[in-house]
Amino acid sequence: MAAIIVPPKWQMPERSITPESIFCARRNFIKTFGLWGLGLVAGLPFGCGPNENAAKIGAQENPPVADLYPARRNPNFILDRPITNEVYAASYNNFYEFSVFKGSVYKKAARLKTSPWRLEVAGLVERPRTFDIDELLRALPLEERRYRFRCVESWSMAVPWTGIPMRAFLKLVAPLSSARYIRLVSFWAPAEAPNQSPTYGPWPYTEALTMSEAANELTMLACGIYGHPLPKQHGAPLRLVVPWKYGFKSIKSIVKIEFTAEQPRTFWNSNRPHEYGFEANVDPATPHPRWSQESEKLIDSGERRRTLAFNGYGEWVAGLYS
Ligand SMILES: Nc1nc2c(c(=O)[nH]1)N[C@H]1C(S)=C(S)[C@@H](COP(=O)(O)O)O[C@H]1N2
Ligand SMILES: [Mo]
């Protein structure tokens, strides 16, 4: 099982393979060889398939604001579907720094050192500085929000995030009026993240939003999920959540936030601009060049649902694009 061929750059899964095939390729291999009957359940030996202990395996050693969970739930965000089973959400992850196999990310990401963790705030901002993550989160209001989450690969989940509204963060650091974009940068730690090699780069993973998108009420910096600190596979200790955009915009494990005048280059958009736009708003009417976006599959039940424009958040964000 170790002899998995490292796919060349253009074969990364966000670009070519369906989510189902990545998650279950190895499980099907095991099925084919009849090992289920021997009790060798996939996920235990091979890290494929939902693992009941995935959230524990990825748990942070020293999570920030651990005493503040569960946070008060913001009642303004109501779901139209059940909350995704946590076991599935914690066992099915995109985090390319660690693996291109969604079902093995939780094990690989456990190697990421998340403490101490600092967030650098730089660029066109009145108060540039570096925060210790615990100190930053204590300075801002923590709340829980239930959001839908839609990956560009056409799978989706619905989860309770814990975090701070990006708006509150912007108030704290005070961007200058010349700032037109916010650029977010993930970590660089090739010794811990086996895929941070030139084959997959350019690393670190980066993302960006316009200032009006960042200031939208929906935009969150999340530090928790399901009422506890984020397991590493979900982007501990701090990630972005922009629920009206495809999942790749929601960058994980952020170390730097920079305010810029020019539109920054971002990981997927600069690698494959025709397939992954900068804006990346969820839109059932615009197919990906290689697949339809009309429907999505819920990762736990397998149910298919029609994709919602702006992932159902048009009421909050449609005005940004008119
Ligand atoms: N640093 C980093 N952030 C990332 C990614 C990644 O590979 N690296 N993948 C993105 C993609 S494609 C998706 S769909 C979501 C997945 O989030 P989840 O694993 O918590 O569901 O994280 C996004 N953030
Ligand atoms: Mo994604």
Side-chain angles (χ1 to χ4, degrees):
M1 293 309 293
I4 288 163
I5 294 158
V6 176
K9 216 171 165 180
W10 50 270
Q11 269 185 0
M12 282 178 71
E14 199 78 358
R15 303 170 185 183
S16 54
I17 307 168
T18 65
E20 291 81 1
S21 66
I22 299 160
F23 198 41
C24 293
R26 288 188 285 174
R27 181 162 51 180
N28 287 337
F29 174 84
I30 296 159
K31 261 188 194 161
T32 308
F33 288 86
L35 296 180
W36 288 97
L38 298 174
L40 277 174
V41 178
L44 300 178
F46 302 115
C48 177
N51 183 334
E52 269 180 46
N53 294 315
K56 274 184 209 145
I57 291 168
Q60 299 177 61
E61 289 78 15
N62 181 24
V65 295
D67 54 315
L68 300 185
Y69 291 86
R72 185 190 63 89
R73 186 194 309 161
N74 183 328
N76 297 338
F77 305 101
I78 297 159
L79 294 174
D80 60 345
R81 62 197 67 184
I83 287 192
T84 300
N85 179 328
E86 180 175 5
V87 169
Y88 283 75
S91 313
Y92 188 86
N93 304 96
N94 275 336
F95 206 163
Y96 297 112
E97 287 88 333
F98 295 99
S99 177
V100 298
F101 297 101
K102 292 177 186 8
S104 68
V105 167
Y106 69 87
K107 280 200 291 187
K108 299 253 173 93
R111 282 165 55 184
L112 180 66
K113 290 192 195 88
T114 55
S115 178
W117 193 276
R118 279 174 282 273
L119 177 75
E120 181 190 351
V121 179
L124 303 171
V125 63
E126 234 172 76
R127 295 190 274 278
R129 59 166 286 191
T130 297
F131 293 92
D132 170 73
I133 190 70
D134 191 84
E135 180 196 356
L136 172 73
L137 292 170
R138 277 180 207 282
L140 296 164
L142 214 61
E143 60 178 61
E144 183 174 289
R145 294 186 185 185
R146 299 178 161 185
Y147 278 162
R148 289 175 291 277
F149 187 95
R150 170 63 155 77
C151 174
V152 71
E153 297 166 311
S154 80
W155 56 264
S156 74
M157 59 183 189
V159 299
W161 300 106
T162 304
I164 54 180
M166 179 68 95
R167 265 189 187 173
F169 170 78
L170 295 178
K171 244 178 132 178
L172 181 74
V173 301
L176 302 177
S177 57
S178 51
R180 293 177 55 224
Y181 294 89
I182 178 172
R183 173 175 181 258
L184 304 103
V185 184
S186 199
F187 64 90
W188 165 246
E192 293 155 41
N195 279 359
Q196 278 193 327
S197 71
T199 321
Y200 292 106
W203 304 108
Y205 194 105
T206 58
E207 258 306 334
L209 302 170
T210 64
M211 283 306 295
S212 53
E213 290 172 332
N216 187 271
E217 193 183 338
L218 293 175
T219 307
M220 254 183 120
L221 285 169
C223 56
I225 191 168
Y226 294 101
H228 56 69
L230 285 174
K232 294 175 183 179
Q233 62 267 37
H234 281 302
L238 191 73
R239 71 172 298 168
L240 183 68
V241 179
V242 276
W244 74 98
K245 292 180 178 288
Y246 289 122
F248 66 86
K249 297 292 291 184
S250 289
I251 182 175
K252 295 176 167 181
S253 304
I254 302 164
V255 298
K256 182 175 180 180
I257 292 182
E258 188 182 359
F259 296 89
T260 69
E262 306 298 325
Q263 181 178 308
R265 284 170 65 84
T266 57
F267 187 84
W268 288 109
N269 183 237
S270 55
N271 277 335
R272 266 262 153 130
H274 305 298
E275 302 202 346
Y276 306 104
F278 177 81
E279 202 164 81
N281 294 329
V282 175
D283 178 9
T286 305
H288 183 278
R290 286 181 282 113
W291 59 83
S292 163
Q293 294 290 22
E294 282 170 19
S295 72
E296 63 198 50
K297 193 168 178 180
L298 277 52
I299 59 170
D300 55 348
S301 62
E303 184 192 340
R304 273 219 167 258
R305 291 242 181 175
R306 293 180 71 93
T307 304
L308 304 170
F310 296 112
N311 203 22
Y313 295 103
E315 183 189 329
W316 284 271
V317 297
L320 292 172
Y321 309 103
S322 53

